[in-house]
Amino acid sequence: MTLQAKTDDEGAILNIAADLVKLGLRRDDTVLVRCATKSMTVQVANRPGALLDGIRRVIGPGGTIVALAFTDDFYFWQRKRALQSPFHAKAPAGTGALPQMLLDNPLSIRSLHPTNSFVALGPNARLIVEGHNEKSTSFYPIEKLMQLGGKLALIGCVESSPGFSTVHRVQEDLGLADRTLLSGLRLCAVRQEKSYRWFFRRDIPGCSAGFGKFYSEYEQEGILSRGSVGGALSMLADAAAAYRVERRILEKDPTAAFCDDPSCTSCGMRTYSPNRMRRFFLSLPKKAANRVAAKFR
Ligand SMILES: [Zn+2]
């Protein structure tokens, strides 16, 4: 890399850091970041790297960055495929470049939940990932994040992968996460020293395509900060405050987080909503017909 390119990247990183401060990120923060850096318009060689650098500049050595380092799961009849991508401590994250960069950092710590591992870097990292394993629910670390006064950031994924992960924790706390016909049907292989064992999922966090519906509620409560980071639409909120809003809504109506696609398997298999399940099964013939029609197009 030339000196000029380095200087340009440095400028871009400083701009990203300034954007993050404007959004509400502060020194020593613990922050869970979800991002789609392809939405950033900033000109740098490595956008995920620049975003990560920008975050670390703002939070400093006393801050902790957390990301989702999820890995694949499969239906129980897909064991052959499951064996081809088993979970292990070094399994690549299916959740993008930034989580992968954190995993690649030798100072980061990854939790041991076989499908929904979290990765964290900073002084609170151990506390965040501790106890998150196959015996806990998928979003258990959110509890720790809230206890630590942590924040949630969405960078560039506000529309493409909407919502805060606290919604999943609310679903767990309200006993909704395992009330699905998919419970026990999905699995992954966990690599051990010389063999594999099967992890069957009981709680299924499921579809988050409808989580954008909460944005206006956060706004009404005055807990949502909107802005632009590296040219990408971004949001930030205090995790515990977001959780309180989501919990109040889901306590009244557990279906409020569902997406709008009647053929969505994840939302349609929830046993606490017979109406939605009926719509799901009624949508199946049309879905199958569309598939056949698409083949002949
Ligand atoms: Zn859905």
Side-chain angles (χ1 to χ4, degrees), residues 53-292:
D53 282 353
I55 294 167
R56 295 186 73 188
R57 297 268 174 111
V58 176
I59 63 177
T64 301
I65 177 168
V66 187
L68 311 177
F70 295 174
T71 42
D72 289 337
D73 68 334
F74 303 86
Y75 284 105
F76 69 88
W77 58 84
Q78 298 172 311
R79 291 183 191 214
K80 215 169 155 182
R81 275 181 61 200
L83 282 173
Q84 285 162 7
S85 37
F87 177 73
H88 53 92
K90 303 273 181 213
T95 36
L98 186 133
Q100 189 59 49
M101 292 178 84
L102 283 173
L103 286 179
D104 293 340
N105 186 313
L107 298 176
S108 72
I109 310 179
R110 184 185 206 167
S111 68
L112 293 175
H113 191 285
T115 54
N116 290 67
S117 65
F118 281 50
V119 59
L121 177 66
N124 287 329
R126 187 160 299 283
L127 207 59
I128 295 272
V129 304
E130 217 167 43
H132 189 221
N133 53 44
E134 54 199 86
K135 292 192 179 74
S136 69
T137 53
S138 301
F139 281 85
Y140 173 60
I142 296 291
E143 194 63 37
K144 315 281 196 64
L145 186 75
M146 292 193 290
Q147 286 165 9
L148 291 162
K151 292 175 178 172
L152 308 159
L154 304 177
I155 315 287
C157 60
V158 166
E159 303 296 339
S160 59
S161 172
F164 292 130
S165 305
T166 36
V167 180
H168 288 304
R169 183 60 187 164
V170 174
Q171 290 170 325
E172 290 176 358
D173 286 344
L174 295 181
L176 303 171
D178 55 3
R179 290 176 65 192
T180 162
L181 294 180
L182 297 174
S183 183
L185 299 186
R186 294 189 70 83
L187 55 72
C188 79
V190 180
R191 199 169 81 188
Q192 305 181 115
E193 237 170 74
K194 284 182 184 152
S195 61
Y196 295 91
R197 68 175 189 279
W198 296 109
F199 167 67
F200 284 87
R201 308 189 66 174
R202 288 180 304 278
D203 67 293
I204 310 270
C207 172
S208 55
F211 288 8
K213 292 173 188 170
F214 292 92
Y215 292 160
S216 57
E217 305 285 341
Y218 304 134
E219 215 131 41
Q220 270 179 25
E221 294 286 326
I223 63 155
L224 188 70
S225 167
R226 288 178 188 260
S228 161
V229 175
L233 193 62
S234 301
M235 287 179 172
L236 187 114
D238 174 81
Y243 177 96
R244 278 195 294 276
V245 172
E246 295 148 3
R247 180 154 183 151
R248 196 187 60 219
I249 295 165
L250 289 178
E251 271 177 352
K252 261 193 233 153
D253 177 11
T255 72
F258 285 171
C259 75
D260 294 328
D261 175 9
S263 67
C264 169
T265 308
S266 176
C267 295
M269 290 286 200
R270 299 281 157 184
T271 54
Y272 53 87
S273 179
N275 279 342
R276 180 63 182 236
M277 200 181 279
R278 194 171 57 241
R279 275 177 69 202
F280 169 70
F281 284 111
L282 286 173
S283 77
L284 290 183
K286 195 177 166 193
K287 196 178 179 182
N290 285 345
R291 267 198 202 151
V292 173

